[in-house]
Amino acid sequence: MALVNVTINGVQVQAENGALLIEVAKQNGIEIPAFCYYEGMSLQAACRMCLVEVEKAPKLMAGCTLPVAEGMVVRTESEPVVKARKTTLEFLLSNHPLDCPVCDKGGECELQDMTFKYGVGESRFTEIKQHVPEKQWSPVVFYDAPRCILCYRCVRVCNEGMGVGALGVSYRGVNAEIIPSNGDHLECDECGSCIDICPVGSLTSGIYRYKTRPWEMEHVGTVCTHCSNGCKTTLGVRNNEIVRGNNRDKSGINGEFLCVKGRYAFDFTQHPERLQTPLIRNAAGELEEASWSRALKLVAEKFKALAGPDFGVIGSTRTTNEENYLLQKFARTALGTASIDHHRTGDVVTLIDSLSGKTGQLATAEDLYTSKAVLVVASDLSQQQPLLANKIRANVRHHKAAVYTVTPGPVREDKIARKAIRIAEADSLAGVEQLREALSKEAELVIIYGDAIQGEKVRQLVAFGESLGIPVKYVALVDYANSRGALDMGLLPDLGPGYHATAPGRSLQQMLDDPKLAALWVVGSNPLKGGKSLASTNAFVVVQDLFLTETAQRADVVLPAASAYEKNGTVTNVCGQVQRLKKGIETVGSKADLAIIGLLARGMGVNLGKVDADAIFAEIAASVPGYNQLPMPVILTGGAVQTHPVNGGVPPSSVPGIIASARDTLFTTGSLTRYSKILNEVLEKPGALYS
Amino acid sequence: MTFSPELEAKFADLVTHYPEGRQRAALIPMLMFGQEEVGSITPEFMEEVAKRLGLNTMQVDEVVGYYSMLHKKGMGKYHVQVCTNVACMLRGGAELYDHACHKLGLGHKEVSADGVISLEEVECMGACSWAPAIQVNYDFHHEVTTEQLDTILEGLKK
Amino acid sequence: MKLFNEPSPLETKIISFRFGLENSASIDTYLAHDGYKALRKALEISPDDIINELKASNLRGRGGAGFPTGMKWSFVPRASEKPKYIVVNADESEPGTCKDRLLIQHDPHQLIEGCLIGALAVGAKKGWIYIRGEYNYLIHIMDKAIAEAYKNGYLGKNICGTDFEFDLYTHTGAGAYECGEESALLESLEGKRGVPRIRPPFPAISGAFQSPTLLNNVETFSSVPAILRMGGQAYADLGVPRSGGTRLVCMSGHVNKPGVYEVPLGFPLMKFVNEIGGGVWKGRALKAIIPGGSSSPLLKAEECDIPMDYDSIAKAGSMLGSGGLMVMDETTDMVKVALRIMRFYQHESCGWCIPCREGTTWLKKMLQRVSDGHGQTRDIDLIGDLAQNMMGRTFCPLGDAAAMPTIAIVKKYRNEFEEYVARNPFASPELVSIA
Ligand SMILES: Cc1cc2nc3c(=O)[nH]c(=O)nc-3n(C[C@H](O)[C@H](O)[C@H](O)COP(=O)(O)O)c2cc1C
Ligand code: SF4
Ligand code: SF4
Ligand code: SF4
Ligand code: SF4
Ligand code: FES
Ligand code: FES
């Protein structure tokens, strides 16, 4: 695009012809104040904060909608501009309840900041203010109309950002206010994006309300523990309690996006049923509280005695890479077993094998935002992969990306799709084939597929993609925060870290079904969920978990574990992007799984080397293909780095495992859901998600 | 929700007035004409219109809240609207409105107990040169004196 | 339909000459009185010729802004992939204005003919007449006329036996002054809230349904047939330079013979009031005139000795606007006038932008308080200052429309505000500094 010369405050700068003045100014270090302008969203020109002086224009112009042109001369701090700003703020404050002292937003309110920076000191308003009572729209969303400055950010983030469109504007003039989808309440994703984006304290969160003031919190940047998408989240911590999750600094792969789980469902950490002390099954057959030393001693002794090929180990989809790595290493070396597995939710393995010899064909989250076309196969993305869905929506909005869906039922992506094919999951590939002509005309493509595509079907899908004659990237969808890491770290019965062949052992199902199983060690998983039982009635069962799950109830020893928000380490998201977890709060009574593994090893007299997250990660980086050469500074500073694809093929599996996604919705997240009060509240009022 | 055959016919015709795919344009006319029959903009009515035009109810709600002639609360069988804007005010519109308030015992947007008459103080309605003016439902009355107003109101009660 | 007021012999009846004829709204009457002659002429000449006639006529928009119509018509792109549309602004809600109502009531076919010529000039095949909700009875009249036009081959396909086709519909508003603003009108036409659009693009490029649209006021379109019949130059000559032709002026307020009268542009204002309007009523003296709807700043009696054309009135610091001329006698209470005007704009502000939404509300509250006798001296300055702070800062001109008359009244009749304050026993004399 052609460059033009623009003079801003006497300084000549170059800018793309037609770029918005407010952006051009920002690029050149000049701030034009704005309430309604929000980068990446549709233009409003409503707040009039951004008025600037443009030479030859008869009146002040809105910088947020003004395209720059050759020779334009702009002043953003001249006397008329400053006066206009002051008066706009004065108008705004005239009807604004001055309840900053009790407002949640106090301290990080854009209206406060703006008033501090540009406003006048005193108020000339002496009339009676309009009062409207506050409304609760959902368990998480409250609306206080008098505080609302009608910037329409919430409406746009919900409509354009979330693709939900649950917020509107009604009435007019001074009575205008934001309204929720269903008359007096919201039926929506409950993502809280609207609350987060509100520049003032008009929309507030049911969880955070009146709990604290922003400056009383510590802010810890870590990664959401709920789904595989790996959103960066900043935990607001006060008195060792997480009171807020958001990503206002827009860092990480998710920008400011978080779904309901990431934003609110951290409350499981405080759940009263949270295990705080180890439990040992007593003579009467009941689980009884015990000290850590007694429990660890007992487990170490038993493990030593039962080590061998009939020992089963089930790992987790939420524990860190370091924990997973150490767990399989410990199992394979010290426990002498090959029976290691975890709850597999998507066929990453076959994808990696199908792409062997090729590079750069595993898509990142960012690719979904930039690719010219996206094909979604057999997945309800908005429900199950919220961030990926959000990326695609933004891509459509900003780059007019072409989206195609092949799904058994209606999905939200249909609304933005060029073509939406309705077909049974089993026939997905036939559905994909129908799109051949359209897809081959695209410049590039990302194919995302759910668990219905596994084994041979993955190979067929890749063959289809490779036959289109355009660059294609792939994402094999998995469910949980470290589902991908569990695979990469070799929590598999015949593949070690980096998908290296190892001696085969039992798969998860085979462990459950084998009456000869001598011991079962379950770390952060609930394989007996849904009334399943263990065929081996004699097996000694040890469970590490946060709660007394169905599996923990069967255990001989239960060791209380720390959650992802309570420890350091790394996790790998659905796109193979490695990110760092940072400890937000200290645990009471429970220990991180890494520490537990280390203590058990020590109890058994096994030397695992230095057991801390950094040391283990160094070992991973040194030994696990794909994890070598990751730029550490990026990860350490909270960035995400994609692992390198494993080149050279994955050995064919001799131990077929069952791959099944839990098909979580936006409001469920495996067993954690049950312990999140807020998710349960939201679930009690399920929303009509497809309007 | 069912409507009279005439209204159904009107609705069916309305949607043909706008370009293909832009049938939302029929929303305001449908609400206006439907209101005459339904009596007010009820939640069911909003839902029905939304359904017919492929909108959600909130989108209809947004529109209904904006326009001053769309009433969620039912008005009287005879809706008496008195203009008090400048041209009418200069010729006694405000006094006429006060008179109507007293006479009917009603205030702005209030409905008589029997639901027959409602009153509203309205903005200029395009009868300035023949002020003061009132409208009863859609019927204009020009150069209305208090005596004439009394007669008109008496007539409505019958 | 009977006339609401007696015509005046001083009128120049170009677009209102059929008013008062028997069955004036029927197509038969219309055809018997030059009806659809201009259309036949337009069908014989090129679109450019039509536009050139309009340019020569010096016709300026009658909706309020007074934009040269020929120029506006030339902005609609010749070639367009999208269909092009005609939209008639019959929202007529500017206080003081009641002329479009008569044009539709007495002569709907003249409007249809104007639309047809517009459609020929820009290549439109469809159009809508957006009629304010309160004018429900006009929708019936208009629909009937449209049906007649279809029946007689003036609408639909093969108009007048040519391949020209055009469909025309009425569309009702639902009570919102702001929907007279052209971009808000288009939003409303599309079934949305009447909130203005970001401009550019202007309707000529992207209007109804995001397609090129020719949007004019009822009176503007209604003037077109006469222009084609008599020729642009002859029409222009009726008026003064840069303000061609005649227009309907709606006289209201304290005059003996209020009514809507057609006069040439440049007609002397005082002659209009005194000779056509029969002078100020009750033998009283003139105090002020609002010349072009409540948005236009009022003129004091001594400022009123001017001709009624766009430029002269602008020179006097006001606007010809919508042609709503309100006359006020010496007894008029200007505080009450200011309050009533502000109440109107506050009620009609769409609420989209801060200065208008909050400014009109604040001003209304202050004016109400002053008028209730609780004003302070500092309030008077603040009223003027706040109105000034709205000027030029709002998203659409409604904010200016609210501010301009207020500024004028406070400036020209400050003494009346002071009298109100003086009557407040609790008035404190101190002044608070103003930012
Ligand atoms: C707040 C506001 C209200 C308006 N109301 C009307 C109206 O009721 N009728 C009208 O014709 N123009 C109205 N206008 C002017 C229109 O925006 C537009 O300029 C006009 O319809 C164009 O037609 P014209 O060029 O024929 O005048 C209004 C403008 C504003 C800012
Ligand atoms: S919580 Fe999320 S989905 Fe619900 S209204 Fe707010 S932005 Fe929309
Ligand atoms: S609720 Fe907040 S984000 Fe929404 S319009 Fe009001 S101030 Fe803006
Ligand atoms: S999309 Fe997934 S990672 Fe992101 S906030 Fe939601 S649950 Fe957490
Ligand atoms: S000035 Fe602003 S608030 Fe007022 S009507 Fe126009 S857009 Fe709406
Ligand atoms: S930022 Fe430009 S008007 Fe709000
Ligand atoms: S002011 Fe009352 S009708 Fe215009």
Side-chain angles (χ1 to χ4, degrees), chain A residues 384-422:
Chain A
Q384 294 159 10
Q385 310 282 345
L387 170 65
L388 302 189
N390 184 268
K391 291 274 172 204
I392 295 173
R393 279 194 298 272
N395 193 0
V396 171
R397 217 163 64 242
H398 298 155
H399 315 127
K400 301 195 165 54
V403 175
Y404 301 87
T405 57
V406 177
T407 57
V411 293
R412 193 178 296 160
E413 287 65 43
D414 290 349
K415 277 198 233 161
I416 49 170
R418 295 270 166 93
K419 276 208 181 86
I421 294 192
R422 217 37 13 95

Side-chain angles (χ1 to χ4, degrees), chain A residues 223-231 254 257-263 385-388 666:
Chain A
V223 180
C224 169
T225 190
H226 290 286
C227 87
S228 64
N229 291 188
C231 294
N254 49 313
F257 173 83
L258 285 176
C259 79
V260 60
K261 292 182 272 194
R263 202 181 299 279
Q385 310 282 345
L387 170 65
L388 302 189
L666 259 178

Side-chain angles (χ1 to χ4, degrees), chain A residues 141 154 157-158 162 164 166-167 186 188-195:
Chain A
V141 186
C154 54
V157 78
C158 189
M162 298 303 301
V164 175
L167 296 175
L186 266 174
C188 71
D189 282 7
E190 310 286 358
C191 68
S193 305
C194 50
I195 300 170

Side-chain angles (χ1 to χ4, degrees), chain A residues 29 117 128 134 172 183 190-191 197 239 255 283 305 313 322 368 377 387 400 515 521 652 654 660:
Chain A
K117 243 171 142 167
I128 294 162
E134 192 189 27
R172 75 173 184 221
E190 310 286 358
C191 68
I197 207 169
N239 299 334
V313 177
E322 292 74 7
L368 294 177
V377 185
L387 170 65
K400 301 195 165 54
W521 182 15
S654 53

Side-chain angles (χ1 to χ4, degrees), chain A residues 143-145 147-155 167 178 194 197-203:
Chain A
Y143 177 63
D144 188 45
R147 285 183 192 160
C148 178
I149 63 170
L150 291 168
C151 65
Y152 317 109
R153 284 189 198 175
C154 54
V155 176
L167 296 175
I178 304 301
C194 50
I197 207 169
C198 180
V200 295
S202 181
L203 287 167

Side-chain angles (χ1 to χ4, degrees), chain A residues 193-267:
Chain A
S193 305
C194 50
I195 300 170
D196 213 30
I197 207 169
C198 180
V200 295
S202 181
L203 287 167
T204 52
S205 135
I207 292 204
Y208 174 76
R209 292 178 90 237
Y210 301 127
K211 265 211 173 144
T212 184
R213 312 301 310 256
W215 58 84
E216 292 168 340
M217 287 187 289
E218 240 185 282
H219 302 278
V220 184
T222 186
V223 180
C224 169
T225 190
H226 290 286
C227 87
S228 64
N229 291 188
C231 294
K232 176 124 192 287
T233 173
T234 304
L235 301 176
V237 177
R238 188 184 174 210
N239 299 334
N240 204 38
E241 185 188 344
I242 305 171
V243 289
R244 183 168 90 173
N246 73 15
N247 205 36
R248 279 317 276 162
D249 63 359
K250 304 188 193 181
S251 62
I253 56 173
N254 49 313
E256 60 200 324
F257 173 83
L258 285 176
C259 79
V260 60
K261 292 182 272 194
R263 202 181 299 279
Y264 299 117
F266 43 72
D267 57 342

